[in-house]
């Protein structure tokens, strides 16, 4: 099974998050402009009524949770992974992971989510051991079902299945447990690949099309799904749909590696005719 | 009275309030002074106490929705108190606003427009007036003004997001419902979607998206662009979880805003008045949002009906795979939803149209199990039978159709089903059952629409079943009853067949001639000619017979008739040694049917005839000419068969050409030539030369085929090492896409047999993927299965073998695949399943040979696995007695026989068996012989 990249998905609806806040165990909510960790203190930058700023320290033991917007690096790193720029994505996400790790004992932090993206980048760079070590660390820490299904997916993708049917069953299990579009996209594509290897091209096609039909927007995995669909159509001797899919891939994602493959396929076809 | 009026107003009794207020005005003896044009003068200062009375009177009428009186009162108020009230300065604006609304509601939108416009500049009124003003413009028929007003407002800076959302909602309705501007509605939907966090009512947003999507998909004028736009709208719909998350987020945002305010209040309590008021508003808002959240929690699932719409859109776009994916997703995510039945039916239809028969069949079964009385049960029942019929699975088709008849009394296709059952029986050659089925139809539907068909087919069933007299009677009855019927030409031909069966050849020929005169080139003209040929042949009038057969082959519409006639003619010509005529006939055929499957046997006939005519070179040339036409096209599978025949000609007709004697006086140039080795004709070179086409360098398939021709030549010459070497060379030189299915199979087999399974897989996989419809695809299934078996990956091996057998893909490799599957099942410790397959191989006469010996041996292994040692031994003994031609199998059988005796405790017999094996010199080199020696030593020690 080919190792592929993984992206963590951020709900569009969360994008308009308000300022950061600290919820103390006393029930008090503290709005803050930013945080830093200093030993067992959480230092919050706060605004006064006169619009001035200052730092207030809170014992971590007194903090119930923090409310933080998603780090910008999450989206940036995901975009870079989508473009195949894995090393840059890693460089982008690592500082965020490091910072989030300093507050990961406080509920509301983004460590697990950012660490999943780092694992994905590492995996794409074929640094499998480091990726899996991080995945193990995430699994030991996070209880978020979406994070766990993402790590499970990463594990499933790296697992060397002797039997493709076992692989398909594993992907099916992931699909039935997850509602995250990126996890689902990844799992459907992996399932499509497994069916394709098994020469079950109709099943493969349906798996790839599930991605193009249900998760067509802002999905960095779409070029892979379109490429898989085009290949499956070709194997099913549906040349018209194969060509249409390749053309769609080329026009929609001209810079993707899959677009180059699609161009080559169309050229091959032209030569034959 | 004033107090009474106030109380009535405050308790919502506006009629009473109005009455009392009118009484106050009356009792005050106030009479408005009329001035020019029906206008009234402003109230005198001593009358200003009446201002609140008129104000409340107008409000009472307004609240009671008594628009005419409200308008009249507010107009009076405006004239009496043009500057409003000093005590209540807000009254004048309120009056104007109410007057505008009363006009709008009272049907006078035009009158309301200037009033609303006058209020637009007032900060407290701007937002609410704007939306009403837009509505007033719309009602006044000024839709462009209404839209322009809202669009202008949207473009203004720092617009409040909540107000913007209200504008968007109104604009959306204007675009979609009032101006039919779907493109603007789409753009607006995108804007709202991008800022969904500020959409107060996401369910309304969903409804708008769905409505717009539906609007873009009318039953007529479907365009790809509209379908794409509709899908885009549907995809913006938020599901239940997203709606709840958004609502919770809005509540959380308010709570955080409140917390922030609270922090500021605590920091500076003295200046916190406004912040406290803000927090009170926030609390109210949170309460409202929580109520909405509670409502959202009880919403039915949003996605199933939405997915049905998406599936429909894809179907309209003829994207059936996509619609099948959507239906599958509905069933996967919401198996119990009310749309599940429709989704399942949609899937069936999609897969049926995609010709995915197996899937459609399975889904039909699933539907009928889940919804035996469902709304589509009749259609699905029929479709299930029809799908089985299309794949020629006749027993299943009959079973499904009978199931319909038994369980679906209201099925509208019952008549059709009864006839189809008869037709299937006819195709199965179960003539009496076919006749019974047609009789059932005639009994059930004496005046049925399909009566003519059943009567005619009853006659056919009688004829095919050999009941010629009854058939003749039935045919004549049919012709009499349906003189203009659909089958009269066919019936007349069948009557001639009856005469032929009765050996009335002359009469049959006369009938055929009459038929040709009457029906000309109608169907079944080719069969009529063919029947004439049969009659002439039966009368030994071979010339006439040949002519008739040739005419039949030329008129034939089906391959069956064509093949029957052309080869019948060929055989008659062969009988008369008319080789030139054979050549001419088949050359004519090839010229008129260049791509026909019969071309290959035709070439074979030409080759044989040319050889008889002493024209070996012409035969070769003809075959080569034909092969060369498609030499570089890997999809032309017949080329490989022609090459095989051509190679056979070169192999068998190879005569070295003696070197020519040198002339008495040779020129110096010729002297050098005479010193060269004598020229010897090389069939491989000749074969290459005759097959070579121009520009070979750029034609890999042609080059591969020439190598293949040489490999075949080597095979015919029994030079198997040379053949294998050439095939291995081909594997190195060519890519899989250069090779035809047969060449892929041959090269794959060669690589697999020479211990290069990984290389072989590349060729097999290409064959399987690229030529899955080729009859030769079983090379791939067999090859991949054997490789997996040899690598002890029995699960994988079983998958390949069983797929080939279950899907009917095994043809030329049927023996190997059957044996491979049986061996695999045995290796998987499933002896009971393996047994019938071994029995099949052992009992198939055409497969006699090593496979038989192996199967008998394995039948012994099956018995051993079941612990039946005596039965096992019987098989082993049969092998080493009856199959001595295969010493490898024989050696294994000896050893296992000894082992069986040992297990039975019959040691002397075991010793005898091992000793007998050791005495056989043919077996001395096999590892089993060493094992036998060891066993013998062991037994001797005991």
């Amino acid at each position: 099974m080919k190792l592929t990249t993984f992206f963590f998905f951020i709900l569009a609806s969360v994008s308009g998050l308000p300022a950061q806040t600290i919820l103390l165990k006393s029930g008090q909510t503290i709005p803050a402009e930013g945080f830093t960790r200093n030993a067992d203190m959480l230092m919050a930058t706060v605004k006064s009524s006169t619009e001035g700023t200052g730092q207030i320290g809170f014992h971590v033991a007194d903090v119930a949770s923090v409310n933080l917007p998603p780090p910008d690096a999450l989206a940036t790193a995901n975009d870079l992974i989508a473009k195949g720029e894995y090393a840059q994505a890693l460089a982008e996400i690592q500082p965020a992971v490091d910072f989030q790790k300093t507050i990961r004992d406080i509920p509301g932090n983004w460590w697990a989510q950012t660490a999943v993206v780092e694992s994905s980048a590492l995996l794409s760079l074929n640094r499998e051991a480091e990726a899996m070590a991080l995945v193990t660390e995430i699994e030991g820490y996070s209880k978020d079902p979406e994070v766990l299904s993402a790590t499970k997916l990463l594990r499933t993708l790296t697992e060397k299945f002797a039997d493709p049917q076992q692989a398909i069953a594993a992907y099916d299990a992931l699909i039935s447990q997850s509602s995250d579009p990126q996890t689902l996209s990844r799992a459907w594509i992996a399932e499509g690949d497994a069916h394709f290897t098994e020469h079950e091209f109709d099943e493969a096609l349906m798996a790839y099309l599930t991605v193009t039909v249900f998760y067509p927007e802002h999905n960095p995995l779409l070029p892979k799904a379109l490429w898989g669909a085009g290949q499956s159509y070709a194997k099913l001797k549906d040349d018209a749909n194969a060509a249409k899919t390749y053309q769609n891939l080329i026009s929609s994602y001209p810079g993707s590696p899959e677009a180059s493959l699609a161009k080559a396929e169309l050229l091959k076809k032209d030569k034959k005719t | 009275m004033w107090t009474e009026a106030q109380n009535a107003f405050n308790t919502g009794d506006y009629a009473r309030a109005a009455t009392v207020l009118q009484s106050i005005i009356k009792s005050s003896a106030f009479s408005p002074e009329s001035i020019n044009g029906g206008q009234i003068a402003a109230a005198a200062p001593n009358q200003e106490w009446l201002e609140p009375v008129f104000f409340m009177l107008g409000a009472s009428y307004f609240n009671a929705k008594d628009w005419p009186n409200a308008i009249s009162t507010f107009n009076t108020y405006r004239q009496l108190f043009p500057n409003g009230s000093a005590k209540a300065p807000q009254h004048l604006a309120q009056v104007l606003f109410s007057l505008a609304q009363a006009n709008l509601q009272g049907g006078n939108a035009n009158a309301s427009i200037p009033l609303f416009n006058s209020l637009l500049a007032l900060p407290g009124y701007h937002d609410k007036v704007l939306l009403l003003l837009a509505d007033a413009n719309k009602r006044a028929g000024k839709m462009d003004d209404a839209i322009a007003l809202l669009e202008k407002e949207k473009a203004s800076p720092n617009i409040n997001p909540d107000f913007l959302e209200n504008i968007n909602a109104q604009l959306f309705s204007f675009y979609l419902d009032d101006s039919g501007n779907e493109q603007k509605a789409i753009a607006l939907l995108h804007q709202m979607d991008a800022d969904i966090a500020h959409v107060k009512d996401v369910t309304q947003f969903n409804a708008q998206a769905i409505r717009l999507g539906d609007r873009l998909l009318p039953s007529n004028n479907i365009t790809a662009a509209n379908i794409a736009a509709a899908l885009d709208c549907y995809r913006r719909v938020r599901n239940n979880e997203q709606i709840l998350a958004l609502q919770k987020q809005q509540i959380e945002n308010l709570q955080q805003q409140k917390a922030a305010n609270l922090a500021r209040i605590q920091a500076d309590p003295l200046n916190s008045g406004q912040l406290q008021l803000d927090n009170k508003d926030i609390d109210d808002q949170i309460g409202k949002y929580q109520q909405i959240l509670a409502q959202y929690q009880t919403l039915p699932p949003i996605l199933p009906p939405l997915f049905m719409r998406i599936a429909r859109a894809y179907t309209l776009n003829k994207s059936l795979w996509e619609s099948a994916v959507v239906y599958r997703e509905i069933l996967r995510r919401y198996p119990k939803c009310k749309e599940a039945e429709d989704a399942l039916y949609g899937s069936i239809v999609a897969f049926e149209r995609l010709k995915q028969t197996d899937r459609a069949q399975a889904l039909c079964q699933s539907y009928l199990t889940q919804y035996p009385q469902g709304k589509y049960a009749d259609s699905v029942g029929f479709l299930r039978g029809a799908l089985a019929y299309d794949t020629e699975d006749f027993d299943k088709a009959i079973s499904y159709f009978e199931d319909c008849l038994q369980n679906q009394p209201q099925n509208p296709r019952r008549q059709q089903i009864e006839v189809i059952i008869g037709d299937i029986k006819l195709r199965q050659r179960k003539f009496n059952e076919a006749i019974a089925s047609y009789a059932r139809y005639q009994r059930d539907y004496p005046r049925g629409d399909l009566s003519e068909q059943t009567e005619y087919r009853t006659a056919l069933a009688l004829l095919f079943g050999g009941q010629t007299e009854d058939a003749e009677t039935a045919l004549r009855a049919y012709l009499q009853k349906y003189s203009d019927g659909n089958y009269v030409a066919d019936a007349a031909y069948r009557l001639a067949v009856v005469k032929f069966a009765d050996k009335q050849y002359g009469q049959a020929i006369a009938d055929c001639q009459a038929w040709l005169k009457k029906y000309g080139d109608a169907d079944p003209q080719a069969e009529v000619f063919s029947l004439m040929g049969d009659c002439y042949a039966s009368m030994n009038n071979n010339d006439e017979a040949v002519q008739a057969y040739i005419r039949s082959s030329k008129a034939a519409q089906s391959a069956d008739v064509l093949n029957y006639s052309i080869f019948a003619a060929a055989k008659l010509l062969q009988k008369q040694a008319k080789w030139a005529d054979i050549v001419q006939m088949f050359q004519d055929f090839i010229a008129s049917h260049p791509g026909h499957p019969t071309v290959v046997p035709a070439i074979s006939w030409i080759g044989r005839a040319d050889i008889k005519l002493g024209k070996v070179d012409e035969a070769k040339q003809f075959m080569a000419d034909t092969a060369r036409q498609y030499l570089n096209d890997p999809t032309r599978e017949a080329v490989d068969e022609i090459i095989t025949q051509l190679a056979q000609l070169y192999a068998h007709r190879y005569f070295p050409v003696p070197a020519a004697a040198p002339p008495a006086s040779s020129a110096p140039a010729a002297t050098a030539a005479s010193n060269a080795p004598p020229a010897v004709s090389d069939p491989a070179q000749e074969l290459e030369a005759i097959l070579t086409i121009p520009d070979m360098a750029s034609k890999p398939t042609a080059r591969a085929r020439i190598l293949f021709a040489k490999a075949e030549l080597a095979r015919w010459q029994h030079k198997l090492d040379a053949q294998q070497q050439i095939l291995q060379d081909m594997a190195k030189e060519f890519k899989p896409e250069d090779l035809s299915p047969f060449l892929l199979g041959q090269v794959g087999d060669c690589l697999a047999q020479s211990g290069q399974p990984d290389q072989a897989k590349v060729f097999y996989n290409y064959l399987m993927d690229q030529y899955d419809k080729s009859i030769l695809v079983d090379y791939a299934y067999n090859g991949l299965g054997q490789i997996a078996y040899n690598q002890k990956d029995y699960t994988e091996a079983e998958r390949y073998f069983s797929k080939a057998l279950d899907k009917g893909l095994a043809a030329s490799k049927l023996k190997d695949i059957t044996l491979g599957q049986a061996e695999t099942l045995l290796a998987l410790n499933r002896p009971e399943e393996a047994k019938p397959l071994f029995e099949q191989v052992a009992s198939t006469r055409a497969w006699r040979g090593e496979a038989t010996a192996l199967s008998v041996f394995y039948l012994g292994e099956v018995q051993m696995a079941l612990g039946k040692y005596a039965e096992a031994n019987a098989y082993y003994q049969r092998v080493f007695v009856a199959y001595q031609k295969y010493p490898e199998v024989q050696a294994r059988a000896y050893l296992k026989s000894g082992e069986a005796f040992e297990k039975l405790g019959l040691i002397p017999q075991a010793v005898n068996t091992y000793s007998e094996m050791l005495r056989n010199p043919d077996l001395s080199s096999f590892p089993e012989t060493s094992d036998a020696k060891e066993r013998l030593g062991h037994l001797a020690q005991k």
Side-chain angles (χ1 to χ4, degrees), chain A residues 2-249:
Chain A
K2 212 170 63 175
L3 282 185
T4 40
T5 52
F6 176 81
F7 309 90
F8 191 76
F9 179 75
I10 308 158
L11 264 178
S13 57
V14 182
S15 59
L17 277 179
Q20 308 166 38
T21 52
I22 302 173
L23 178 65
L24 299 178
K25 285 178 182 167
S26 62
Q28 194 182 354
T29 305
I30 314 295
E33 299 298 305
F35 299 113
T36 49
R37 177 66 178 262
N38 189 353
D40 60 348
M41 296 294 284
L42 182 66
M43 307 304 294
T45 308
V46 294
K47 242 185 194 174
S48 70
S49 57
T50 55
E51 302 299 311
T53 57
Q55 275 214 326
I56 306 177
F58 299 92
H59 274 285
V60 169
D62 295 333
V63 177
S65 65
V66 287
N67 187 337
L68 305 174
D72 291 343
L74 258 182
T76 320
N78 270 333
D79 285 347
L80 289 166
I81 289 175
K83 289 176 192 158
E85 296 167 9
Y86 308 121
Q88 226 179 313
L90 189 62
E92 189 71 29
I93 198 71
Q94 266 174 337
V97 177
D98 291 345
F99 167 70
Q100 294 291 332
K101 196 169 183 176
T102 65
I103 56 166
R104 86 171 177 183
D105 53 339
I106 304 171
N109 71 81
W110 287 83
W111 178 76
Q113 291 88 335
T114 51
V116 165
V117 177
E118 184 179 347
S119 309
S120 173
L122 286 168
L123 206 54
S124 304
L125 290 164
N126 290 325
R127 289 160 64 177
E128 197 174 318
E130 290 166 78
M132 285 304 105
L134 190 51
V135 163
T136 306
E137 194 182 343
I138 299 166
E139 286 168 342
Y141 158 79
S142 179
K143 295 199 170 32
D144 181 338
E146 280 306 338
V147 166
L148 292 179
S149 76
T151 56
K152 196 172 170 188
L153 176 65
L154 285 170
R155 279 202 182 286
T156 309
L157 291 175
T158 50
E159 192 167 340
K160 310 281 184 291
F161 288 101
D163 180 358
Q165 297 303 324
Q166 273 181 7
I168 290 166
Y171 301 136
D172 274 344
L174 266 173
I175 287 164
S176 63
Q177 287 162 19
S178 179
S179 59
D180 168 48
Q182 288 304 301
T183 304
L184 289 166
S185 297
R186 187 68 272 147
W188 278 117
I189 289 173
E191 182 158 332
D193 291 346
H195 281 300
F196 198 90
T197 309
E198 284 291 276
H199 304 274
E200 293 162 355
F201 303 120
D202 49 347
E203 285 289 355
L205 176 62
M206 290 190 72
Y208 295 128
L209 288 180
T210 305
V211 179
T212 65
V213 166
F214 288 103
Y215 315 109
E217 290 192 342
H218 315 299
N219 188 344
L221 294 167
L222 220 52
K224 280 185 201 307
L226 284 168
W227 169 246
Q231 290 275 285
S232 304
Y233 276 129
K235 294 290 185 190
L236 290 166
K237 311 281 187 303
D238 187 345
D239 292 340
N241 269 323
K244 209 164 97 180
T245 307
Y246 292 143
Q247 276 151 3
N248 180 10
L249 169 56

Side-chain angles (χ1 to χ4, degrees), chain B residues 245-356:
Chain B
L246 283 165
Q247 194 62 23
K248 283 177 187 165
Q249 188 62 56
Q250 288 192 347
I251 292 171
E252 207 176 303
N253 289 350
L254 287 173
Q255 281 168 339
Q256 283 173 3
Q257 207 179 319
K258 185 185 165 189
N261 286 349
L262 210 57
R264 290 185 181 189
I265 290 168
Q266 284 163 352
D268 188 5
L270 291 177
N271 295 308
S272 63
Q274 186 56 44
L275 289 172
Q276 286 181 14
L277 284 174
D278 286 352
N279 270 7
K280 196 173 172 305
D281 286 348
I282 290 173
D283 279 340
D284 291 346
Q285 195 67 18
I286 288 173
K288 278 182 200 163
Y289 279 14
Q290 276 169 338
Q291 277 178 0
I292 294 172
L293 179 66
Q295 284 169 10
Y296 284 173
Q297 277 160 341
T298 61
L299 285 176
I302 289 166
L303 292 187
L306 179 78
F307 283 2
M308 290 301 292
R309 286 181 151 87
I310 292 176
R312 176 176 170 258
Y314 277 119
T315 304
L316 290 171
N317 200 32
K318 297 187 176 67
S319 302
L320 295 173
W321 280 107
E322 282 85 348
S323 62
V325 160
V326 179
Y327 289 131
R328 183 178 72 169
E329 200 61 3
I330 294 173
L331 296 168
R332 191 181 70 79
R333 292 198 209 176
Y334 309 97
K336 304 282 179 209
C337 71
K338 69 181 172 66
E339 289 79 10
E341 185 184 355
D342 289 316
L344 187 51
Y345 182 67
S347 292
I348 293 168
V349 174
F351 284 123
E352 191 264 331
R353 287 170 63 186
L354 284 164
K355 309 235 176 295
Q356 298 287 311

